[in-house]
Structure formats: C-alpha cells, structure tokens
Amino acid sequence: MPPLPALLAPSLLACDFTRLASEIEAVRAAEYLHVDVMDGLFVPNISFGFPVLEAARRVRDHLNSGQVLDVHLMIERPERYLHEFAAAGADSMTVHVEATPHVHRCVQTIRELGKRAGVVLNPGTPLEVLRPLLDSVDLILIMSVNPGFGGQSFLPQTYQRVRTVRGWLDEAGSPALLEVDGGVSAANARQLAEAGATALVAGSSVFGPDGAAAGLARLRSALA
Ligand code: DX5
Ligand code: ZN
C-alpha cells in the first residue's frame, strides 16, 4: 500500500532561537509549526511560553504562510491556561491525558475557543483512554518518546500503537489527525504514514546542520 501523504510539523524546540524568524521562514512550506510548552512539572524540562508563541505567530502572519500553530502543552492541569494560549496564537492545542483529570473538559474548552482540540498520550499510557474521546477531538498525538526533550530515539512500539488508533478512527469515521512526535526522521516517516499517521512532528531531524529547509525536504522525499 502506498503511504498516505502526511502533514509535517517541524518542532521549534530544535531551532536556533537566535534566528527564530529565519528558522520559521525556512520551514514555511510545512503545514504545521509544532510549539512545545514545558512547565518543569509535567516533564523534567522547561522550554518556553507565551512570548515565544506570540513571536512565532507574528512571524507566521508576516510570512502569510497559513501555517497552523500546533501547541503541545506538556504542563500540569492545562485547563488553567487554555484561554491564554489561544490569545497568544495557538490554532491547535493538545493536552496530555496524564496531566489532568479533566481531559474532556479541556477539549470542550478548546473548541469553545474556536481552536482545534487535541489529546496526547505518553508511550506508557494505555490507548483505551482514547475511546470515549474519539468523537470529540480534532487531533490525536501519539508520543514516540517520553516527552521532555528533543533528540531522543524513536520507540518502535509506536508503529503498533498508530495502527490501533488508525483502526479506531476509521471505524468511527473520524477525520481527526493522527500525529506522532519524537525521534521522527526520514528513516521512519514512511513507515509511520503506512501505519496510519497523518501528521509527523520532527525537531532534530529538520533543524539539523544543513539547515531546516533541507531537513524538511528530506522528510518530504521520504514520504513521496
Ligand atoms: C518532546 C517534544 C517533541 C520534540 C521532538 O517532548 O514533544 O516535539 O521537539 O524532537 P525530536 O524530533 O528531536 O525527537
Ligand atoms: Zn511535541
């Protein structure tokens, strides 16, 4: 079976922040821009928050690229900040099921804010938690590393997890995006698309030494 085309979501976490605007410009052809927010509690790392998201939005608006700002919230009880992230420029917000007892409420709030609502699962979280949410989400994100850091090795169990969720989405007739995040590169992109992923997040494999435009092109050709 030929791989389905997957949308690409370069992860800003891996970019050179001294050149934020030109890094975003280098990946302007990507459909999504992935923005990793970490609070030092849910994950053992702190990345960035509203000012960087606002800056990314300004660059995106200036480029007029139409790129979707895909905000991955690795924060405890994300319901505390959904309004602020929407105001700062998020087009899509994804909350971890492990980070709140109120995942469904978060999804409802995100949609009320007029944004796309996503849920994300850590590699050790049973997929069954997704079942009651299938009808309510615009995006499901499967972590293929333990969240918190870029540059980690892809966990091969992800293929089977993606196939299972793909089956459930197809059964439900859901158009939700199925996104994978962590250790994604030209070496596994095609296999992930074949397993049913429709969006791929990539940090270190895009923002590499030969520049982000080349990194993005490598991923695209792996999928072609
Ligand atoms: C990890 C983040 C990822 C990270 C991916 O917690 O959610 O989005 O930037 O980086 P790579 O592609 O280098 O694994
Ligand atoms: Zn991420």
Side-chain angles (χ1 to χ4, degrees), residues 11 34 36 72 74 141 143 181 201:
S11 170
H34 188 80
D36 287 303
H72 176 190
M74 284 163 275
L141 174 54
M143 288 309 299
D181 183 9
V201 177

Side-chain angles (χ1 to χ4, degrees), residues 12 17 36 38 42 49 69 85 96 101 110 112-113 116 137 165 182 189 203 213:
L12 265 199
F17 284 97
D36 287 303
M38 304 180 186
F42 180 67
L69 293 179
F85 280 108
H96 272 265
I110 295 168
E112 282 162 17
L113 290 164
R116 302 184 202 181
V137 295
V165 178

Side-chain angles (χ1 to χ4, degrees), residues 34-211:
H34 188 80
V35 180
D36 287 303
V37 178
M38 304 180 186
D39 66 354
L41 285 171
F42 180 67
V43 288
N45 196 7
I46 297 177
S47 57
F48 47 72
F50 306 122
V52 172
L53 175 58
E54 283 166 2
R57 173 175 55 179
R58 282 201 297 279
V59 175
R60 187 274 316 268
D61 290 350
H62 178 73
L63 293 169
N64 202 15
S65 59
Q67 203 167 45
V68 174
L69 293 179
D70 168 34
V71 178
H72 176 190
L73 295 172
M74 284 163 275
I75 64 176
E76 285 290 346
R77 296 182 46 234
E79 58 271 24
R80 294 173 298 155
Y81 289 109
L82 297 173
H83 290 76
E84 284 88 342
F85 280 108
D91 299 307
S92 164
M93 285 179 271
T94 302
V95 296
H96 272 265
V97 300
E98 306 88 356
T100 173
H102 297 295
V103 184
H104 193 274
R105 180 181 294 159
C106 283
V107 166
Q108 283 180 316
T109 304
I110 295 168
R111 283 190 160 176
E112 282 162 17
L113 290 164
K115 309 299 177 188
R116 302 184 202 181
V119 291
V120 45
L121 268 62
N122 284 337
T125 301
L127 295 176
E128 279 61 31
V129 68
L130 287 173
R131 285 236 188 227
L133 297 164
L134 287 177
D135 287 339
S136 320
V137 295
D138 302 299
L139 186 161
I140 291 171
L141 174 54
I142 302 292
M143 288 309 299
S144 38
V145 299
N146 283 296
F149 302 92
Q152 302 182 78
S153 301
F154 178 83
L155 294 167
Q157 74 207 53
T158 307
Y159 296 120
Q160 188 49 47
R161 286 168 67 80
V162 169
R163 277 191 286 270
T164 300
V165 178
R166 167 50 53 210
W168 292 351
L169 288 172
D170 289 352
E171 238 170 69
S174 165
L177 218 55
L178 181 49
E179 191 177 44
V180 176
D181 183 9
V184 173
S185 71
N188 53 28
R190 192 184 177 90
Q191 223 179 317
L192 284 167
E194 280 169 354
T198 49
L200 301 176
V201 177
S204 44
S205 70
V206 167
F207 294 97
D210 57 345

